[in-house]
Amino acid sequence: MWNIIQSLWSSLALFLSALFFHGMILRSIRENKPNWFINNHQHHIIRYFIGMYYGVLGLYFIWRGLPGEDFGIYTDMLINIIILLNIFSGTGPATIATSMIIIGKLLLGHNPHMQLIYAFFLLSYHFICIQVNTLKISLVKKFILSKLSITPFMLYYLHFKMAIPLQVYTLPKWLLIFTISFVCSLLLYLAARFIDTSNKQIFELRQSSILDPLTKLANYRHFDTCLRNEYKESIFKQTPLSVIIFDIDFFKSINDTYGHQTGNIILSHLSIALKKVLFHENALIARIGGEEFAVLLPDTSRDGATFYAEQLREQIEKTNFPFKDEEIRLTVSVGAATMDHLHHFESGESLLKAADTALYTAKENGRNRVYTANLIVPLKE
């Protein structure tokens, strides 16, 4: 009995530590690289690493159970990995962890026949958890349903592993085992949910402080902070830094004609059009005024900024903005400025002011065009 308690305590403590460490890493990434959770490619990479992380944890539990005295405890921890990953991380990470666990079981186990049966049960259980996760029920109900669905496997496995007869007189022992198993799984579920919820709340609070609520782009405060930081980075590394500013031509007449609500809808749709422009991954798009927007382009030359500015202008010009039974077409005037080895600015604010001056020069020269720090880019016919 002491061996069972010791194994249970050590495995539970290790699992909780793994959950805590996982939560701290994700919180750090959310604070320092929030765009990684917005960019689909980078988000997928994070999720796959989560799957491998818990796959390694599963391999450790397999190794701990190799002497043949796991008493079902380490097996239960493997089951908990599959449950929690399916609920909180999704099918991808859970599939990766399950695959690693199955491979580990087949390679490290002593009885090939039993290991194949074990692997089959794990894979089947993973598919059951996937189906449970598709149900439109609360997370706690998904957890309970997933946990209860493993009962047949536990009866089969523990009957042979611990030599407990499936008889009426052994019912109290079976109830004790299942109660301990459920309580441990519930504790892990509550810990995982607390970590997941708190991390998401912190992320949402951070996002609300840096995003414009209408367009979901960065707000001026966040843009200004990033501009200051990138200016210092550019000076230190001697790399170019570019800023683009643009606003919607004759936007006041749109508000006067269609109303401010329509203007807000157009601004919201405009942010979607902006995301279709293929800026490099370090670019930051922000709404810095009513109909005024800016793009921060670290490590981007003057020619690069001009190219992006023209791509932006063309993308908005060809976009239809639906309103009731008609479509509204927009144009923008764009100004850009670049700090490089030939053009120095005293601060990020002065670089932004130069781009703003270029914007007004573009307006004075006919609108719907790009002006880049004394270099006008004529409209393409």
Side-chain angles (χ1 to χ4, degrees):
M1 180 58 70
W2 173 248
N3 288 338
I4 296 177
I5 295 174
Q6 188 177 35
S7 298
L8 176 64
W9 175 253
S10 63
S11 58
L12 192 59
L14 178 63
F15 207 134
L16 289 171
S17 298
L19 285 172
F20 176 78
F21 184 70
H22 163 210
M24 293 298 293
I25 292 296
L26 286 188
R27 180 176 297 185
S28 177
I29 295 174
R30 281 191 170 103
E31 290 177 352
N32 298 297
K33 300 289 183 180
N35 289 336
W36 286 16
F37 290 86
I38 300 173
N39 182 289
N40 284 334
H41 176 68
Q42 291 170 326
H43 193 200
H44 282 314
I45 291 176
I46 292 173
R47 292 174 69 246
Y48 294 150
F49 270 106
I50 290 173
M52 290 187 284
Y53 172 77
Y54 284 99
V56 171
L57 180 64
L59 294 177
Y60 171 78
F61 287 135
I62 293 172
W63 175 74
R64 282 295 301 270
L66 283 181
E69 298 179 354
D70 70 348
F71 307 104
I73 292 170
Y74 298 118
T75 294
D76 209 34
M77 293 301 157
L78 300 180
I79 297 302
N80 287 326
I81 289 174
I82 297 174
I83 294 175
L84 296 181
L85 281 182
N86 271 292
I87 292 177
F88 294 107
S89 298
T91 303
T95 301
I96 291 173
T98 303
S99 300
M100 292 177 64
I101 290 170
I102 289 174
I103 292 172
K105 258 297 183 182
L106 293 175
L107 294 179
L108 299 175
H110 299 302
N111 187 332
H113 177 70
M114 285 299 296
Q115 301 312 322
L116 282 173
I117 296 175
Y118 192 103
F120 172 76
F121 272 115
L122 284 180
L123 187 60
S124 300
Y125 183 65
H126 171 55
F127 285 123
I128 291 172
C129 288
I130 291 175
Q131 294 305 312
V132 170
N133 207 39
T134 61
L135 300 177
K136 295 181 179 180
I137 56 178
S138 65
L139 292 182
V140 68
K141 289 181 180 178
K142 289 180 180 180
F143 162 74
I144 293 173
L145 191 55
S146 297
K147 185 63 180 177
L148 291 178
S149 64
I150 197 63
T151 302
F153 170 71
M154 289 182 66
L155 287 171
Y156 172 84
Y157 180 76
L158 295 179
H159 171 61
F160 290 100
K161 189 70 178 178
M162 298 180 65
I164 303 176
L166 296 173
Q167 302 292 335
V168 176
Y169 72 88
T170 60
L171 183 60
K173 183 176 289 188
W174 281 111
L175 288 175
L176 177 62
I177 291 172
F178 277 92
T179 300
I180 293 173
S181 173
F182 185 83
V183 169
C184 290
S185 296
L186 180 62
L187 179 61
L188 292 171
Y189 164 79
L190 293 174
R193 183 169 184 177
F194 172 78
I195 292 169
D196 182 69
T197 302
S198 61
N199 277 353
K200 286 179 178 178
Q201 287 176 343
I202 291 172
F203 180 68
E204 288 170 1
L205 283 173
R206 177 175 171 78
Q207 289 298 97
S208 66
S209 69
I210 67 175
L211 293 183
D212 172 63
L214 178 62
T215 62
K216 305 304 178 184
L217 301 173
N219 58 25
Y220 177 77
R221 178 182 177 184
H222 183 55
F223 178 85
D224 183 58
T225 300
C226 292
L227 176 59
R228 294 172 188 271
N229 293 337
E230 291 297 342
Y231 176 84
K232 295 176 183 177
E233 191 79 4
S234 177
I235 294 294
F236 178 74
K237 293 185 177 180
Q238 294 295 300
T239 55
L241 176 64
S242 295
V243 173
I244 295 172
I245 295 184
F246 66 95
D247 68 10
I248 303 171
D249 295 328
F250 306 111
F251 187 70
K252 184 178 183 300
S253 65
I254 294 175
N255 279 333
D256 293 341
T257 303
Y258 300 99
H260 288 278
Q261 186 63 32
T262 301
N264 288 341
I265 293 173
I266 288 175
L267 290 174
S268 179
H269 287 172
L270 178 66
S271 67
I272 298 173
L274 288 174
K275 292 173 183 177
K276 295 180 181 179
V277 182
L278 299 179
F279 296 110
H280 61 68
E281 63 178 4
N282 293 324
L284 176 69
I285 308 173
R287 181 188 180 199
I288 60 174
E291 69 271 21
E292 193 169 54
F293 297 80
V295 185
L296 180 61
L297 296 166
D299 200 16
T300 302
S301 66
R302 181 191 185 97
D303 290 341
T306 304
F307 171 79
Y308 285 128
E310 184 58 32
Q311 291 293 309
L312 180 155
R313 187 197 67 78
E314 290 180 354
Q315 177 64 45
I316 295 174
E317 186 179 32
K318 70 182 183 183
T319 299
N320 295 321
F321 295 87
F323 173 69
K324 294 184 178 180
D325 296 329
E326 59 180 300
E327 291 181 340
I328 300 174
R329 303 296 292 269
L330 302 177
T331 62
V332 293
S333 299
V334 189
T338 300
M339 181 176 73
D340 53 24
H341 65 285
L342 295 177
H343 305 86
H344 179 72
F345 294 86
E346 294 181 356
S347 63
E349 184 180 354
S350 60
L351 176 63
L352 184 66
K353 185 176 181 179
D356 193 48
T357 301
L359 165 64
Y360 281 95
T361 304
K363 286 181 173 292
E364 292 171 357
N365 281 274
R367 302 178 189 268
N368 190 26
R369 65 192 62 231
V370 175
Y371 197 90
T372 309
N374 300 324
L375 176 65
I376 192 166
V377 181
L379 280 171
K380 294 181 180 179
E381 301 297 337

